[in-house]
C-alpha cells in the first residue's frame, strides 16, 4: 500500500519520459497538454490512494501500521510504515501536489515535461521520507527530495534563482553532513538502522546531547528556525508558485516531523536538556520574523517570513513536553501547510497576471477582483490566527501547552499575534484596498473557474479544521501522546 | 430555541453575503432583516421565560470544538439572566439598525454586503455572550473584532477608513493577547476553561502563586488582570481607547450597533461573567475601578472640544463605558449591567439620530457647519433631545422617576460611593464620576446647541464646502453622496430622513425614556436577588448593593446637580452666545490644544510603538538577516571558498550534481558501516 502511494508519482514520471521518447511528439502544445493530464491524474490517484490508506488505519492502535519490510543492502531494510502523524503528512502532500500541478499550468510554459517529472519525483521523495521506517532509507528520501526542489527553483525560478538555490544548498548541506555523521554513529552503536528499534534504544545521555545537536542542525534548517532561516525568503522569492507552495506546505514540515520522529523519541534526555534553547529560538523566530515580515516590500518575502514565525509555534509545541503541545504542533503543521500554500497560490494569481511581486505595484484590487478579495481575506485571517480558522487552533493550544512550562515564553509568543495582525492586514490593505491607482491594473481579471476550483478545497479545509479540529486530534491522539510521553518521562527523571 | 438566537443571524449573513446575486439586493437585505427579527423574537422569549420564572438557566451544547488532554471547549448556548439580557440588547439594537440601514444605505452599491456584515457581527456577538467557556467567548470576541474591522473599512476606497479599520483590529489584538494569556492561565490554574467548573474552584486556588522567571505573582490576580486587559481593548478603556474615535470612519449604523450599544460593552460583560473571580481578586477589581474612573473622566474631557458630531458621541461612549467599569470594579455588577442595558438604548438613539442629521446634511459631520437644524429635522431633533435627557441623567432626585440614564448612572455613582466607605480609592472614583457627569451634560447639550440651535452655518459652509478636502473625500467615497446631488437638484437643503430611519429612532427613544424606570427594581433594586438568580450573589460583595441603597440623599442628588451645572454652562457658552462655539471649538490655550489632541495619545503611540516596530523590523532585516547571518553564513562561505579555491563558480553551475554526489557518498559510506555493524 505505502509503496504504491510512494512510488506511483515516480512511475508516472517515468511513463511521461518514456512516452515522450516513444511518441516523438511533433505538436508541442499537445505534448504539454498530455503531460499535464498524466501528471494531474497520477497525483490525483495518489491522493485517492492516500485517503484509502488513511481509512485502513486504526489510529488508536500503538506503533506503526501498513508496514512493509524487505531486506535491502546489508543490515539496512526497505522498511515502510506510518503512524497517524506521518499518514496525515502524506495526505497533505498528496493533497497539495495535484493542486500545485493544476495551478501551475497557467504559469509554467517552458520545459513542461521536466517540470512535471521533477514535481512527481519530489512527491515520491517527500512521501517516502514520511513513510520510511529505516533511518538510512529516510535519509535517502529526505535528502533526495532536495534535488528536484533545487531543479524547480534553479530552472523555473526568478532572476536571482542561482543565488537562492545555492544558499538553500549550503544551509542544507551543512545540516545534512552533521546529521549523516550522527546517523552513522547511532547505527554503529545500536547495531540497527530500524527506526522503531532506535526509538527503543537508550542512548547514553552525554552522547544524546551530541546526536541531538547534529540532528537539530538539519531539522532546524528545514523548519526553519532562527538564525538558520535566511535561505527561506530567497528560496521562496525565486521559486515558481508551485515550488513555493510545496516548499512552505510540505518541505518545511520535514523539519517538524524530524523532531517528532527522531529528536524527541530517540534523544528524550537531550530534548529535555535543550528545551530552553528551543523555546528561546522559537520565541525569537516568532517575534523577529514577524517584525521583519512587517517591513518587506516583496509579497513572497513577507509570507516567507510569516512562515518562519508560524513554525515557531510548531517547535514550541513539540518541545513543551505535554500532549496538548504535541497535538498543537502537529495540527499547526497541517494548518500551516494549507494556509501558507493557499497564500502562495494567491500571490501566484496576481503574479501570473502582472509579473511582479512588489507590494507597492498593487492597490485597490478589491474593486476589480471581488472573489479574489474574499479568498485572500480568508487565508489572511487564517494566517492571522482568527478563531474559526485552523490557524487559531494550533496557536492557542501551543500557548496553552507552553504557559505552564514557561509563562514568559508563552507571553512573548503571544505578542506574535499582534504582529501577525499588523503585517497581515497591512499587506491586505496595500494590495486590495484603497483606490486603484496603477493604470496597469485597470484591466486585471478576477479569478476564473479553474482558479476558484484551486482555492475552494483549501478554503473549505481552513474553515473545517478551524471549527472541527477534532477530525485531526482524534486521529493523532495516540501518536502524539506517545511522543509527548517520551519527553515527559525525561522531565520526570 | 436557544440555537435560533445565534444561528438565525448567521443564516442571514450567509444569505446576504453569498446569494445576493441570485435573489437580488433587496431580497438579501430582506432575508437578513427578517432573520434578525426571528432572532429578536427568540431572544425576547428566552428573556421573558427566565424573568417570569417559567424557565431555568441552562446550557445547550451544540457540538464539540476542541478536546485534548483535558482542554475542552464546546460550541454551546448558555442561557442565564446575564446572557439573556445581552441577547435582548444585541438582537433588538441589531434589528433596529438593520431596518434603519434600509434608509441610510439605500444608495450604496454594496448594501447587501453591508447587511451581510451586520448580520455576521450579530452572530459573533451572540456567540460571545452565549458562550459556556472562555474559548467560545474568545471566538465571538475576535469575531466581532473582525466584523468591526470589515465595517469600519466598509468604504474601502477611503484611505482613512482603512487606517482606522487596521488600527481598531490591531489595538484590539493587544487586548486580545491579554485575554488569550488569561484563558491559558485559567486552564493552567483550574484545569478547565468551562465557566462553572472554573468559578466553583476559586476558593481552592486563592493562594496559588505564579512563578514566571524572576517574577512571583499571585496567580488569580494575574489572570484577572490579563482578562481585564482583554476587556480594556474591546471596551476602549484608557490606554487602549485610541481605536474607538477613529472607528467612526465606518457608516453611522455601524457606530450605533457596534461602537456604542453592543461590541464595546463586551468588556463589561466579560468582567461581569467573571464576577466570581473579581470578587476574590481585589487587586484586579481595584484596577478596574481606577481604569474605569480615569477613562470616564478622560474621554468626557476630550469630548468637550470635539467638533465632529460622531466623535463627540464616540468619546461619550468611551466615557460611559468607564462608568460601567467603575461599577464592576466596585463589585456592583448589577449596576454595571443596568447601565450597559440603558446605555444601549440611548446611545444607539444618539448615534442613529446623528446619522439622521448626517444623512440630512449630505454627509456633513462637522458641527461647525451645522446649527439651526431643529426646524428642518423636527423628528430627529425631538429624538436627539430625548437621548440627551437620558444620557445627562434627568430625573427627580430621591425617587426612581427619570430618564433611563438617570437611574442607571445614579446606581453606578451610589455604588462607587458605597464602595468608598471601605476602599479609599473608590472615593476618588466617585468624585471623578461626578465631575464626568458635569462634563457629560456640557458636551451633550453643546452638541444639541451647535447642531440644532443658533444661526445656520450650513448654507455658506456647504456652498464652499465642495473644495474642502473632507467633503471631497466624502463625495468620492460615498456613492450616495453624489447621487443625492443628482436626485435633489438643490443638494444644500437639509431634509428630514425617511420613515424607515425615523421609526427605529422612536422605538429606541421609548427605551431611553422608560428602560430605567421599568427595570430599576429587577436589575438593581429590591427584586435584584431573584432576578439575577445568584449569578452575582454570594461572592461577598453583596454589601455594596445594600450600602448603595442607603447612600445619603446628597449622593443621590449630586449627579443630577452636576448635570444641571453642565447644562447651565453649555447654555452660557453656546445657547446664548453662538459665537462661543468658535471660541471654544477652535482657539484656546494649551488646555484646549491638549484636549483637542486627545491628550496626545495617538502621537505618543505613533512615536513609541509604531515607529520603533518599523525601525526594529528594518534593522533586523538589514543588519541581522543580511548584515550578520548571511554575511558570516552562506555569503561568507562563498567568499571564503572563492578566495581559497574558486570552486563556487563550478558549484553554481553544477550544484545539483555535487549535492547528489555528496549524498551518494554519504549513503554508500553509511551502507558500509551498517554492513560492518551488523556483521559484528
Amino acid at each position: 500500500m505505502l509503496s504504491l502511494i510512494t512510488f506511483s508519482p515516480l512511475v508516472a514520471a517515468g511513463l511521461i519520459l518514456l512516452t515522450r521518447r516513444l511518441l516523438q511528439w511533433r505538436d508541442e502544445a499537445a505534448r504539454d497538454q498530455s503531460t499535464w493530464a498524466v501528471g494531474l491524474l497520477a497525483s490525483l490517484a495518489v491522493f485517492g490512494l492516500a485517503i484509502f490508506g488513511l481509512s485502513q488505519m486504526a489510529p488508536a492502535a500503538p506503533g506503526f501500521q501498513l508496514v512493509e519490510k524487505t531486506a535491502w543492502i546489508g543490515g539496512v531494510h526497505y522498511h515502510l510504515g506510518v503512524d497517524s502523524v506521518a499518514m496525515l503528512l502524506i495526505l497533505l502532500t498528496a493533497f497539495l501536489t495535484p493542486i500545485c500541478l493544476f495551478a501551475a499550468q497557467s504559469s509554467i510554459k517552458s520545459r513542461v515535461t521536466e517540470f512535471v517529472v521533477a514535481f512527481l519525483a519530489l512527491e515520491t521523495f517527500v512521501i517516502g521520507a514520511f513513510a520510511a521506517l529505516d533511518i538510512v532509507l529516510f535519509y535517502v528520501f529526505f535528502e533526495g527530495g532536495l534535488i528536484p526542489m533545487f531543479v524547480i527553483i534553479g530552472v523555473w525560478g526568478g532572476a536571482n534563482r542561482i543565488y537562492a538555490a545555492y544558499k538553500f544548498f549550503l544551509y542544507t548541506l551543512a545540516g545534512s553532513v552533521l546529521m549523516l555523521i550522527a546517523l552513522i554513529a547511532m547505527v554503529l552503536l545500536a547495531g540497527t538502522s530500524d527506526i522503531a528499534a532506535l526509538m527503543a534504544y537508550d542512548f547514553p545521555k552525554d552522547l544524546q546531547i551530541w546526536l541531538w545537536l547534529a540532528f537539530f542542525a538539519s531539522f532546524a534548517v528545514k523548519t526553519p528556525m532562527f538564525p538558520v532561516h535566511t535561505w527561506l525568503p530567497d528560496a521562496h522569492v525565486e521559486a515558481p508558485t508551485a515550488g513555493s507552495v510545496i516548499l512552505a506546505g510540505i518541505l518545511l514540515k520535514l523539519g517538524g516531523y524530524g523532531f517528532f520522529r527522531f529528536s524527541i523519541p530517540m534523544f528524550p534526555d537531550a530534548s529535555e536538556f535543550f528545551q530552553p534553547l528551543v523555546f528561546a529560538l522559537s520565541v525569537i523566530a516568532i517575534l523577529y520574523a514577524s517584525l521583519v515580515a512587517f517591513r518587506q516590500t516583496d509579497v513572497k518575502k513577507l509570507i516567507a517570513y510569516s512562515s518562519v514565525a508560524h513554525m515557531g509555534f510548531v517547535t514550541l509545541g513539540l518541545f513543551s513536553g505535554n500532549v496538548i503541545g504535541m497535538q498543537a504542533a502537529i495540527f499547526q503543521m497541517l494548518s500551516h501547510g494549507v494556509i501558507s500554500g493557499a497564500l502562495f497560490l494567491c500571490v501566484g494569481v496576481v503574479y501570473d497576471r502582472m509579473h511582479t511581486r512588489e507590494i507597492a505595484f498593487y492597490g485597490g484590487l478589491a474593486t476589480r477582483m471581488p472573489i479574489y478579495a474574499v479568498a485572500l481575506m480568508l487565508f489572511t485571517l487564517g494566517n492571522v490566527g482568527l478563531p474559526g480558522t485552523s490557524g487559531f487552533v494550533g496557536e492557542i493550544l501551543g500557548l496553552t501547552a507552553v504557559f505552564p512550562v514557561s509563562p514568559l515564553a508563552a507571553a512573548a509568543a503571544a505578542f506574535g499575534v499582534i504582529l501577525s495582525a499588523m503585517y497581515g492586514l497591512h499587506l491586505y490593505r496595500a494590495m486590495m484596498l484603497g483606490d486603484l491607482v496603477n493604470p496597469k491594473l485597470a484591466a486585471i481579471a478576477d479569478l476564473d473557474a479553474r482558479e476558484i476550483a484551486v482555492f475552494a478545497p483549501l478554503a473549505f479545509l481552513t474553515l473545517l479544521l478551524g471549527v472541527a479540529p477534532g477530525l485531526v486530534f482524534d486521529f493523532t491522539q495516540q501518536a502524539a501522546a506517545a511522543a509527548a510521553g517520551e519527553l515527559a518521562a525525561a522531565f520526570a527523571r | 430555541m436557544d440555537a435560533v438566537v445565534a444561528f438565525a443571524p448567521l443564516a442571514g449573513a450567509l444569505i446576504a453575503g453569498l446569494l445576493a446575486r441570485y435573489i437580488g439586493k433587496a431580497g438579501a437585505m430582506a432575508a437578513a432583516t427578517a432573520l434578525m427579527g426571528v432572532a429578536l423574537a427568540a431572544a425576547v422569549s428566552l428573556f421573558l421565560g427566565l424573568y417570569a420564572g417559567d424557565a431555568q438557566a441552562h446550557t445547550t451544547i451544540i457540538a464539540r470544538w476542541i478536546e485534548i488532554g483535558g482542554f475542552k471547549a464546546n460550541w454551546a448556548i448558555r442561557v442565564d439572566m446575564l446572557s439573556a439580557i445581552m441577547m435582548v440588547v444585541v438582537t433588538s439594537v441589531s434589528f433596529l439598525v438593520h431596518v434603519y440601514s434600509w434608509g441610510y444605505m439605500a444608495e450604496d452599491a454594496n448594501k447587501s454586503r453591508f447587511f451581510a456584515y451586520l448580520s455576521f457581527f450579530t452572530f459573533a456577538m451572540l456567540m460571545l455572550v452565549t458562550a459556556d467557556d472562555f474559548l467560545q467567548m474568545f471566538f465571538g470576541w475576535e469575531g466581532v473584532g473582525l466584523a468591526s474591522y470589515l465595517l469600519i473599512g466598509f468604504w474601502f476606497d477611503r484611505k482613512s477608513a482603512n487606517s482606522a479599520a487596521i488600527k481598531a483590529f490591531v489595538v484590539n489584538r493587544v487586548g486580545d493577547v491579554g485575554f488569550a494569556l488569561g484563558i491559558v492561565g485559567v486552564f493552567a490554574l483550574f484545569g478547565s476553561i468551562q465557566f462553572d467548573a472554573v468559578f466553583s474552584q476559586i476558593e481552592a486556588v486563592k493562594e496559588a502563586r505564579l512563578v514566571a522567571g524572576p517574577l512571583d505573582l499571585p496567580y488569580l490576580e494575574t489572570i484577572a488582570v490579563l482578562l481585564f486587559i482583554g476587556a480594556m481593548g474591546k471596551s476602549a478603556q484608557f490606554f487602549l481607547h485610541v481605536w474607538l474615535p477613529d472607528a467612526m470612519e465606518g457608516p453611522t449604523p455601524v457606530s450605533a450597533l457596534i461602537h456604542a450599544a453592543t461590541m464595546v460593552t463586551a468588556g463589561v460583560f466579560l468582567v461581569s461573567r467573571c464576577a466570581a473571580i473579581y470578587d476574590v481578586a481585589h487587586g484586579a477589581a481595584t484596577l478596574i475601578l481606577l481604569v474605569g474612573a480615569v477613562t470616564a473622566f478622560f474621554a468626557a474631557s476630550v469630548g468637550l472640544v470635539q467638533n465632529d458630531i460622531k466623535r463627540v458621541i464616540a468619546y461619550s461612549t468611551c466615557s460611559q463605558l468607564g462608568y460601567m467599569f467603575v461599577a464592576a470594579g466596585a463589585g456592583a455588577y448589577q449596576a454595571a449591567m443596568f447601565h450597559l442595558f440603558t446605555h444601549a438604548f440611548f446611545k444607539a438613539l444618539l448615534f442613529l439620530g446623528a446619522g439622521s442629521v448626517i444623512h440630512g446634511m449630505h454627509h456633513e459631520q462637522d458641527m461647525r457647519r451645522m446649527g439651526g437644524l431643529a426646524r428642518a429635522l423636527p423628528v430627529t431633533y425631538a429624538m436627539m433631545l430625548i437621548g440627551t435627557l437620558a444620557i445627562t441623567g434627568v430625573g427627580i432626585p430621591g425617587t426612581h422617576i427619570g430618564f433611563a440614564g438617570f437611574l442607571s448612572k445614579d446606581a453606578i455613582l451610589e455604588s462607587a460611593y458605597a464602595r468608598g466607605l471601605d476602599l479609599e480609592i473608590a472615593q476618588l472614583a466617585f468624585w471623578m464620576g461626578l465631575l464626568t457627569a458635569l462634563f457629560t451634560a456640557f458636551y451633550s447639550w453643546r452638541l444639541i446647541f451647535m447642531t440644532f440651535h443658533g444661526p445656520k452655518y450650513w448654507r455658506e459652509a456647504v456652498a464652499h464646502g465642495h473644495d474642502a478636502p473632507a467633503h471631497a473625500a466624502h463625495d468620492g467615497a460615498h456613492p450616495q453622496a453624489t447621487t443625492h446631488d443628482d436626485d435633489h437638484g438643490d443638494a444644500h437643503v437639509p431634509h428630514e430622513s425617511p420613515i424607515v430611519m425615523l421609526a427605529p429612532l422612536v422605538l429606541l427613544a421609548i427605551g431611553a425614556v422608560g428602560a430605567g424606570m421599568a427595570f430599576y427594581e429587577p436589575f438593581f433594586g429590591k427584586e435584584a436577588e431573584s432576578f439575577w438568580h445568584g449569578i452575582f450573589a454570594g461572592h461577598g460583595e453583596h454589601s455594596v448593593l445594600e450600602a448603595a441603597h442607603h447612600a445619603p440623599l446628597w449622593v443621590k442628588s449630586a449627579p443630577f446637580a452636576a448635570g444641571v451645572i453642565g447644562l447651565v454652562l453649555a447654555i452660557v457658552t453656546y445657547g446664548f452666545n453662538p459665537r462661543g462655539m468658535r471660541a471654544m471649538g477652535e482657539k484656546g490655550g494649551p488646555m484646549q490644544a491638549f484636549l483637542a489632541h486627545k491628550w496626545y495619545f495617538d502621537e505618543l503611540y505613533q512615536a513609541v510603538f509604531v515607529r520603533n516596530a518599523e525601525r526594529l523590523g528594518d534593522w533586523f532585516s538589514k543588519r541581522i538577516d543580511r548584515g550578520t547571518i548571511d554575511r558570516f553564513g552562506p555569503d561568507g562561505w562563498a567568499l571564503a571558498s572563492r578566495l581559497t579555491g574558486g570552486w563556487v563558480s563550478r558549484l553554481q553551475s553544477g550544484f545539483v550534481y555535487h549535492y547528489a554526489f555528496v549524498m551518494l557518498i554519504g549513503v554508500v559510506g553509511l551502507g558500509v558501516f551498517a554492513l560492518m555493524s551488523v556483521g559484528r
Side-chain angles (χ1 to χ4, degrees):
Chain A
M1 185 72 219
L2 282 175
S3 294
L4 194 63
I5 298 173
T6 307
F7 289 102
S8 293
L10 203 60
V11 171
L15 210 66
I16 289 171
L17 287 176
L18 197 69
T19 50
R20 188 188 175 187
R21 208 38 77 72
L22 290 178
L23 292 177
Q24 299 287 337
W25 292 92
R26 296 246 176 258
D27 181 357
E28 283 195 14
R31 184 194 72 198
D32 290 352
Q33 202 101 50
S34 69
T35 308
W36 285 122
V38 173
L40 206 55
L41 280 176
S43 60
L44 280 173
V46 172
F47 180 54
L49 285 171
I51 287 182
F52 181 70
L54 192 84
S55 70
Q56 296 302 102
M57 285 185 70
F64 295 100
Q65 302 177 39
L66 308 178
V67 175
E68 297 167 29
K69 190 172 183 180
T70 18
W72 192 22
I73 20 170
V76 178
H77 287 87
Y78 172 80
H79 187 182
L80 297 183
V82 287
D83 61 3
S84 51
V85 175
M87 192 65 221
L88 281 181
L89 288 166
I90 290 173
L91 188 69
L92 180 69
T93 312
F95 171 70
L96 284 178
T97 304
I99 288 181
C100 283
L101 283 174
F102 195 55
Q105 289 178 52
S106 57
S107 46
I108 303 294
K109 298 292 181 198
S110 66
R111 304 191 191 212
V112 170
T113 313
E114 288 86 345
F115 181 84
V116 175
V117 166
F119 226 82
L120 291 172
L122 181 62
E123 186 178 16
T124 287
F125 282 117
V126 174
I127 291 179
F130 288 133
L133 280 187
D134 189 289
I135 201 163
V136 175
L137 190 65
F138 168 79
Y139 187 79
V140 172
F141 282 128
F142 183 76
E143 302 298 332
L146 299 174
I147 299 171
M149 198 64 222
F150 289 141
V151 174
I152 289 170
I153 296 176
V155 175
W156 293 274
N160 211 5
R161 57 184 185 265
I162 299 296
Y163 173 74
Y166 153 75
K167 211 169 166 182
F168 183 22
F169 161 73
L170 264 189
Y171 267 115
T172 318
L173 177 76
S176 298
V177 167
L178 291 172
M179 185 169 83
L180 184 62
I181 295 167
L183 216 149
I184 292 168
M186 285 164 67
V187 173
L188 283 180
L189 200 67
T192 174
S193 58
D194 187 81
I195 287 177
L198 288 169
M199 282 162 89
Y201 191 85
D202 275 335
F203 290 100
K205 191 176 173 185
D206 297 346
L207 188 63
Q208 276 193 28
I209 301 283
W210 293 105
L211 296 174
W212 189 94
L213 281 172
F215 273 75
F216 182 71
S218 181
F219 298 144
V221 166
K222 272 283 169 12
T223 303
M225 294 177 76
F226 180 88
V228 289
H229 64 278
T230 63
W231 62 271
L232 186 71
D234 285 304
H236 269 309
V237 164
E238 300 305 331
T241 300
S244 287
V245 174
I246 290 297
L247 192 56
I250 309 292
L251 284 187
L252 301 190
K253 276 56 198 183
L254 281 171
Y257 176 75
F259 288 130
F260 169 81
R261 175 65 70 237
F262 301 96
S263 301
I264 290 171
M266 292 182 192
F267 324 121
D269 296 316
S271 297
E272 183 253 312
F273 179 78
F274 283 114
Q275 188 198 44
L277 173 78
V278 175
F279 273 20
L281 291 179
S282 306
V283 168
I284 292 174
I286 292 170
L287 299 178
Y288 175 96
S290 300
L291 279 168
V292 175
F294 182 45
R295 298 302 284 168
Q296 295 307 307
T297 54
D298 181 308
V299 196
K300 274 190 152 182
K301 267 204 171 152
L302 192 153
I303 301 172
Y305 276 109
S306 117
S307 281
V308 176
H310 282 94
M311 295 309 283
F313 278 98
V314 173
T315 42
L316 272 182
L318 283 171
F319 285 88
S320 66
N322 57 53
V323 69
I324 295 179
M326 194 60 72
Q327 287 275 42
I330 295 161
F331 190 88
Q332 175 81 346
M333 285 202 268
L334 297 169
S335 157
H336 179 262
V338 173
I339 293 173
S340 71
L343 282 174
F344 279 115
L345 284 167
C346 281
V347 177
V349 166
V350 287
Y351 183 79
D352 282 352
R353 287 161 171 74
M354 291 294 139
H355 301 285
T356 177
R357 298 177 311 265
E358 277 298 309
I359 296 172
F361 179 89
Y362 299 99
L365 288 179
T367 51
R368 292 287 182 283
M369 309 175 73
I371 304 175
Y372 179 70
V374 173
L376 184 59
M377 178 46 80
L378 174 67
F379 298 122
T380 301
L381 293 175
N383 206 38
V384 166
L386 198 85
T389 67
S390 61
F392 170 71
V393 179
E395 286 183 8
I396 190 76
L397 291 177
L399 292 179
T400 306
V402 170
F403 190 85
V405 185
S406 166
L408 291 183
F415 273 90
V417 309
I418 304 174
L419 299 173
S420 71
M422 268 167 69
Y423 66 70
L425 297 181
H426 271 104
L427 174 68
Y428 192 83
R429 168 172 67 173
M431 288 182 66
M432 305 305 296
L433 308 178
D435 287 320
L436 194 102
V437 177
N438 192 336
K440 290 183 183 139
L441 297 171
I444 195 163
D446 202 354
L447 299 185
D448 56 29
R450 192 179 56 78
E451 286 165 331
I452 291 173
V454 167
F455 286 117
L458 295 164
F460 176 72
L461 268 185
T462 305
L463 291 173
L464 179 71
L465 292 180
V467 180
L471 295 171
V472 171
F473 291 141
D474 292 347
F475 191 70
T476 54
Q477 176 62 29
Q478 205 282 328
E486 297 274 0
L487 195 51
F491 272 99
R493 275 197 284 276
Chain B
M1 179 69 88
D2 299 355
V4 168
V5 181
F7 289 95
L10 178 64
L14 292 174
I15 292 172
L18 302 176
L19 303 182
R21 67 178 70 183
Y22 306 109
I23 58 175
K25 279 183 186 143
M29 288 154 64
T33 312
L35 283 162
M36 197 57 64
V38 170
L40 171 60
V44 168
S45 84
L46 283 176
F47 173 79
L48 291 179
L50 284 177
Y51 190 25
D54 298 342
Q56 295 296 311
H58 60 277
T59 302
T60 307
I61 292 173
I62 296 165
R64 183 185 60 152
W65 185 11
I66 298 177
E67 184 180 4
I68 37 169
F71 188 95
K72 188 169 180 198
N74 282 321
W75 298 110
I77 305 286
R78 180 188 174 103
V79 180
D80 59 11
M81 200 29 104
L82 190 58
S83 66
I85 290 168
M86 293 302 290
M87 282 188 247
V88 169
V89 168
V90 170
T91 52
S92 59
V93 177
S94 179
F95 178 70
L96 292 177
V97 164
H98 271 74
V99 172
Y100 180 90
S101 300
W102 279 80
Y104 194 84
M105 302 298 285
E107 322 273 331
D108 198 290
N110 295 312
K111 54 189 173 185
S112 55
R113 183 164 60 92
F114 183 77
F115 275 69
Y117 288 173
L118 282 185
S119 288
F120 171 74
F121 164 79
T122 313
F123 160 70
M125 188 73 204
L126 289 165
M127 292 305 277
L128 192 167
V129 301
T130 59
D132 190 44
D133 54 49
F134 281 98
L135 210 65
Q136 183 187 321
M137 195 171 185
F138 193 69
F139 166 83
W141 194 267
E142 290 234 308
V144 293
L146 168 66
S148 168
Y149 163 82
L150 292 171
L151 283 164
I152 294 169
F154 183 74
W155 286 315
F156 62 77
D157 45 5
R158 231 158 112 179
K159 230 183 196 143
S160 53
N162 293 327
S163 305
I166 291 183
K167 189 172 173 183
F169 196 90
V170 171
V171 174
N172 265 293
R173 272 250 155 161
V174 175
D176 291 357
V177 165
F179 194 177
L181 286 171
I183 295 173
V184 163
V186 163
F187 180 72
L189 182 59
F190 294 95
S192 174
I193 52 168
Q194 198 272 333
F195 289 138
D196 295 330
V198 169
F199 299 153
S200 62
Q201 295 183 62
I202 285 178
E203 282 303 314
V205 300
K206 248 165 124 174
E207 307 299 327
R209 307 290 293 180
L210 173 67
V211 181
L215 305 170
D216 182 7
L217 307 163
Y219 218 132
L220 199 63
E221 292 275 5
T222 308
I223 289 172
V225 170
L226 286 169
L227 292 173
F228 176 57
I229 290 172
M232 285 170 70
K234 197 65 53 192
S235 293
Q237 293 298 288
F238 200 64
F239 294 123
L240 296 181
H241 65 277
V242 290
W243 64 272
L244 184 59
D246 288 20
M248 298 302 124
E249 288 290 340
T252 306
V254 171
S255 315
L257 174 61
I258 300 185
H259 306 121
T262 57
M263 182 185 86
V264 288
T265 64
V268 182
F269 171 77
L270 167 64
V271 172
S272 302
R273 176 57 87 203
C274 298
I277 294 179
Y278 290 103
D279 280 341
V280 177
H282 289 289
T286 308
L287 179 72
I288 294 175
L289 182 77
L290 206 59
V291 168
V294 170
T295 309
F297 173 77
F298 152 78
S301 77
V302 175
L304 294 175
V305 299
Q306 296 301 311
N307 291 318
D308 181 312
I309 187 168
K310 284 182 73 179
R311 283 189 181 238
V312 175
I313 309 178
Y315 278 105
S316 160
T317 304
C318 200
S319 170
Q320 299 294 313
L321 290 165
Y323 269 138
M324 298 174 207
F325 280 109
V326 168
Y333 307 99
Q334 299 90 338
M337 287 303 297
F338 188 30
H339 197 54
L340 186 160
F341 181 71
T342 61
H343 175 259
F345 294 107
F346 61 73
K347 190 51 65 69
L349 171 63
L350 286 169
F351 256 122
L352 292 182
S356 179
V357 171
I358 295 166
H359 188 76
M361 287 293 286
H362 312 286
H363 293 271
E364 177 58 76
Q365 297 186 193
D366 193 331
M367 296 192 299
R368 285 169 301 185
R369 299 207 191 108
M370 296 179 182
L373 287 172
R375 188 160 302 170
L377 308 169
V379 182
T380 305
Y381 172 61
M383 295 303 123
M384 290 287 276
L385 217 47
I386 291 174
T388 304
L389 290 168
I391 194 175
T392 55
V394 173
I396 303 169
T399 68
H400 297 153
I401 301 165
F403 288 88
F406 168 75
L407 290 143
S408 57
K409 191 196 289 177
D410 285 12
I412 286 175
L413 289 171
E414 285 161 21
S415 304
Y417 174 83
R419 188 79 179 99
L421 296 176
D422 50 27
L423 181 73
E424 274 185 22
I425 206 139
Q427 293 176 14
L428 178 71
F430 169 73
W431 288 105
M432 284 174 86
L434 215 51
L435 192 56
T436 304
L438 191 156
F439 285 0
T440 306
F442 181 84
Y443 67 65
S444 301
W445 288 111
R446 172 176 175 265
L447 184 153
I448 293 289
F449 293 139
M450 283 182 81
T451 309
F452 293 105
H453 293 273
K456 299 165 180 170
Y457 287 98
W458 39 268
R459 266 195 200 287
E460 43 148 349
V462 175
H464 61 73
H466 274 295
D467 46 5
H471 201 91
H474 288 312
D475 276 352
H478 304 223
Q480 70 266 49
T482 42
T483 23
H484 267 309
D485 290 348
D486 299 341
D487 285 352
H488 292 261
D490 179 7
H492 305 317
V493 179
H495 60 83
E496 185 57 284
S497 299
I499 185 80
V500 73
M501 288 170 67
L502 295 178
L505 290 183
V506 173
L507 290 171
L508 286 169
I510 294 171
V513 174
M517 289 182 279
F519 287 97
Y520 177 84
E521 290 300 338
F523 270 79
F524 193 68
K526 295 185 202 70
E527 300 167 28
E529 191 118 349
S530 61
F531 179 74
W532 291 108
H533 252 296
I535 294 175
F536 302 132
H539 300 306
E541 296 297 332
H542 204 56
S543 53
V544 173
L545 207 60
E546 237 3 82
H549 290 156
H550 295 117
L553 190 62
W554 73 268
V555 171
K556 297 190 177 194
S557 318
F560 179 72
V564 171
I565 297 172
L567 168 62
V568 170
L569 286 175
I571 292 175
V572 169
T573 35
Y574 288 92
F576 291 154
N577 175 20
R579 293 284 150 200
M581 83 182 184
R582 300 269 165 201
M584 187 85 180
E586 276 171 0
K587 52 179 189 277
M591 194 63 208
Q592 198 273 343
F594 180 68
L595 293 181
H597 282 94
K598 309 159 258 178
W599 295 27
Y600 293 100
F601 264 100
D602 281 336
E603 289 82 354
L604 183 75
Y605 284 0
Q606 185 72 22
V608 174
F609 298 119
V610 181
R611 279 302 301 141
N612 281 330
E614 288 172 359
R615 258 184 236 147
L616 211 56
D618 285 340
W619 191 77
F620 283 159
S621 182
K622 294 201 180 84
R623 294 274 168 266
I624 305 286
D625 254 34
R626 270 172 278 160
T628 307
I629 299 175
D630 279 358
R631 185 153 157 237
F632 297 108
D635 296 356
W637 271 47
L639 186 67
S641 47
R642 200 174 297 137
L643 291 177
T644 49
W647 55 273
V648 174
S649 52
R650 270 182 287 142
L651 184 83
Q652 282 181 343
S653 55
F655 62 91
V656 173
Y657 306 102
H658 273 263
Y659 188 79
F661 184 63
V662 169
M663 203 195 92
L664 198 69
I665 291 178
V667 172
V668 170
L670 198 70
V672 172
F673 274 113
L675 279 170
M676 283 166 58
S677 65
V678 173
R680 237 181 347 191

